[in-house]
């Protein structure tokens, strides 16, 4: 009975066409089917400081994708880290959704979120030339159109205007008058269509504005930096620490297991940071509550300090941890 109720609750969050075939694994009922997995699993999230490669926040849930996870990870990171109005976030395309872009705008967050479907955005100043489409013999994409925001219509490569014809619950439909005589209609229309249709979400401007930022040199550099921060941490946890699957069951226990793996990574990373010439800068950053160079909060360090006693560190490392601990105890 309990599992039937759980199945009904979960089916409410699944698209209608997938509800009938959805099942709950009796051995691990909290887990769900994930892409690239043979069986049920969990979705692990990380927020990593780009300068030190220290994990500043983590999360484990049963969601099959990351589409709505940015807001959750942002709040966790902000709670763990000292306040910094200049903090910037970079996320891969899996986190891209209009809901999350709306969250970013409402909270005025400096964030770059890669777009999985840039060909769906109309950010050009003029439509793609018909000659180019005919030469490439390719499908006409939404990016080949331009959107006139003030007049509220799309302009196609052939110069036809698509005006709003109907408004649905989640989008507005734009339709061209006639396309059958268009020289690129075979690249633009489906076999059953006689005129072009485009669907636009009222919040589509958020995705368009984000894409305009993503094509800048500054955004490209930030995306490159992400590849050298989060990805190496994931690789370290999987390859070096050998953590490729959860060994405990139930979501609550899995969360604790992943927390321990993140703590292990952070302790190893801090050991390397403290063992080189950056020790003085590291201590100064904590003492002065400055996180521009190494973003680590007192809360995170306190957790690591408690775990330290369970690890057989060298005497030199213990002295350094004690030195930072004294600084943390000093009144601000």
């Amino acid at each position: 009975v309990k599992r039937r109720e759980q199945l009904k609750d979960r089916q409410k969050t699944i698209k209608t066409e997938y509800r009938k075939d959805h099942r709950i694994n009796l051995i691990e009922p909290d887990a769900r089917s994930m892409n690239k997995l043979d069986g049920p699993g969990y979705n692990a999230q990380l927020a990593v400081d780009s300068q030190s490669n220290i994990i500043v926040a983590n999360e484990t849930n049963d969601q099959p994708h990351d589409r709505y996870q940015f807001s959750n990870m942002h709040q966790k990171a902000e709670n763990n880290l000292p306040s910094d109005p200049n903090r910037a976030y970079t996320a891969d395309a899996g986190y891209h959704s209009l809901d999350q872009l709306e969250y970013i705008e409402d909270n005025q967050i400096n964030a770059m979120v890669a777009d999985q479907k840039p060909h769906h955005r109309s950010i050009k100043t003029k439509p793609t030339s018909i000659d180019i489409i005919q030469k490439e013999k390719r499908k006409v994409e939404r990016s080949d159109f331009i959107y006139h925001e003030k007049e509220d219509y799309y302009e196609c490569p052939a110069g036809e205007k698509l005006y709003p014809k109907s408004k649905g619950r989640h989008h507005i439909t734009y339709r061209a008058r006639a396309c059958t005589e268009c020289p690129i209609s075979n690249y633009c229309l489906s076999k059953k269509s006689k005129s072009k249709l485009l669907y636009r979400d009222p919040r589509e401007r958020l995705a368009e504005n984000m894409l305009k930022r993503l094509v800048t040199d500054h955004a490209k550099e930030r995306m490159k930096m992400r590849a050298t921060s989060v990805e190496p941490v994931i690789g370290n946890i999987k390859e070096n620490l050998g953590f490729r699957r959860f060994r405990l069951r139930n979501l609550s226990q899995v969360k604790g297991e992943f927390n321990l793996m993140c703590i292990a990574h952070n302790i190893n990373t801090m050991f390397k940071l403290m063992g080189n010439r950056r020790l003085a800068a590291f201590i100064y950053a904590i003492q002065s509550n400055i996180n521009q160079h190494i973003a680590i909060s007192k809360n995170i360090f306190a957790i690591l300090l408690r775990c330290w006693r369970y690890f057989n560190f060298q005497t030199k490392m213990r002295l350094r941890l004690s030195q930072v601990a004294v600084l943390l105890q000093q009144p601000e």
Side-chain angles (χ1 to χ4, degrees):
V1 177
K2 180 180 179 180
R3 298 306 173 210
R4 289 177 181 175
E5 293 298 325
Q6 184 180 9
L7 180 61
K8 289 181 181 179
D9 292 338
R10 187 180 290 180
Q11 284 177 336
K12 296 177 182 178
T13 64
I14 302 174
K15 290 184 178 180
T16 306
E17 58 268 29
Y18 300 131
R19 291 178 182 175
K20 183 178 179 181
D21 297 328
H22 186 72
R23 298 290 184 271
I24 285 182
N25 188 287
L26 296 180
I27 298 177
E28 183 61 3
D30 290 346
R32 295 177 64 168
S33 297
M34 303 281 176
N35 292 334
K36 302 180 181 179
L37 290 180
D38 295 332
Y42 292 100
N43 187 348
Q45 307 282 321
L46 289 177
V48 177
D49 170 56
S50 61
Q51 297 296 323
S52 63
N53 280 9
I54 288 177
I55 299 172
V56 298
N58 76 80
E59 169 68 334
T60 311
N61 56 53
D62 64 348
Q63 297 303 304
H65 51 71
D66 302 331
R67 218 169 301 150
Y68 306 111
Q69 298 303 314
F70 178 86
S71 56
N72 182 33
M73 292 306 297
H74 170 259
Q75 292 169 14
K76 284 180 175 292
E78 289 296 321
N79 288 336
N80 290 336
L81 295 170
S83 177
D84 183 0
N86 297 319
R87 183 173 294 123
Y89 290 84
T90 307
D92 64 27
Y95 290 87
H96 191 284
S97 71
L98 294 178
D99 288 335
Q100 298 304 288
L101 295 182
E102 188 174 33
Y103 171 85
I104 291 171
E105 183 183 62
D106 291 344
N107 292 276
Q108 298 181 340
I109 303 169
N110 181 358
M112 294 286 184
V113 184
D115 195 342
Q116 286 182 328
K117 301 178 179 179
H119 55 283
H120 281 194
R121 317 300 174 198
S122 301
I123 64 172
K124 295 181 179 179
T125 56
K126 61 180 181 179
T128 304
S129 169
I130 287 181
D131 296 334
I132 293 177
I133 295 173
Q134 289 177 326
K135 183 179 179 179
E136 296 177 353
K137 296 181 180 180
R138 63 170 176 80
K139 179 183 177 181
V140 178
E141 303 286 357
R142 185 193 294 264
S143 58
D144 295 316
F145 293 69
I146 61 172
Y147 177 67
H148 297 266
E149 185 175 6
K150 185 178 292 186
E151 296 84 1
D152 191 21
Y153 72 87
Y154 281 94
E155 182 181 349
C156 79
E160 181 69 24
K161 296 179 180 179
L162 288 75
Y163 289 98
K165 294 298 181 181
S166 61
K167 185 174 182 180
R169 183 179 178 182
H170 300 294
H171 62 259
I172 302 172
T173 303
Y174 292 76
R175 181 191 295 270
R177 295 178 181 177
C179 299
T180 54
E181 302 299 325
C182 179
I184 56 171
S185 60
N186 56 324
Y187 299 120
C188 191
L189 302 178
S190 63
K191 294 182 179 180
K192 298 182 179 180
S193 299
K194 294 184 178 180
S195 61
K196 182 66 176 179
L197 292 177
L198 289 179
Y199 303 97
R200 182 180 179 86
D201 190 288
R203 301 170 297 173
E204 181 66 20
R205 62 173 181 81
L206 299 174
E208 293 170 347
N209 292 338
M210 178 60 72
L211 185 57
K212 290 177 183 177
R213 295 174 59 196
L214 288 170
V215 298
T216 63
D217 292 337
H218 173 67
K220 292 177 182 178
E221 288 299 319
R222 282 177 58 174
M223 286 299 172
K224 288 181 182 178
M225 186 180 296
R226 182 198 170 277
T228 61
S229 57
V230 178
E231 298 302 334
V233 172
I234 296 174
N236 177 56
I237 291 176
K238 288 184 175 181
E239 294 296 332
N240 299 333
L241 300 181
F243 187 71
R244 287 190 163 274
R245 60 173 297 173
F246 294 109
R247 282 144 175 94
L248 300 179
R249 295 178 181 175
N250 299 327
L251 182 57
S252 60
Q253 296 190 79
V254 166
K255 285 176 179 286
E257 186 179 0
F258 191 58
N259 282 338
L260 290 175
M261 294 310 302
C262 292
I263 289 173
H265 165 84
N266 280 355
I267 289 178
N268 287 337
T269 302
M270 290 175 64
F271 185 89
K272 294 177 182 178
L273 288 172
M274 290 180 169
N276 59 31
R277 297 178 181 177
R278 285 185 287 177
L279 174 61
F282 180 74
I283 294 176
Y284 177 77
I286 298 178
Q287 185 180 25
S288 304
N289 202 24
I290 297 175
N291 61 334
Q292 294 178 356
H293 300 292
I294 298 177
I296 178 170
S297 72
K298 297 181 179 180
N299 292 336
I300 292 178
F301 191 85
I303 294 173
L304 297 178
L305 200 60
R306 294 191 201 105
C307 295
W308 156 70
R309 69 188 64 179
Y310 299 106
F311 293 85
N312 186 23
F313 283 133
Q314 300 175 7
T315 304
K316 186 177 180 181
M317 178 61 176
R318 293 180 180 177
L319 291 174
R320 286 174 175 169
L321 280 171
S322 300
Q323 183 181 7
V324 178
V326 171
L327 293 176
L328 291 178
Q329 292 170 5
Q330 292 178 358
E332 299 182 3

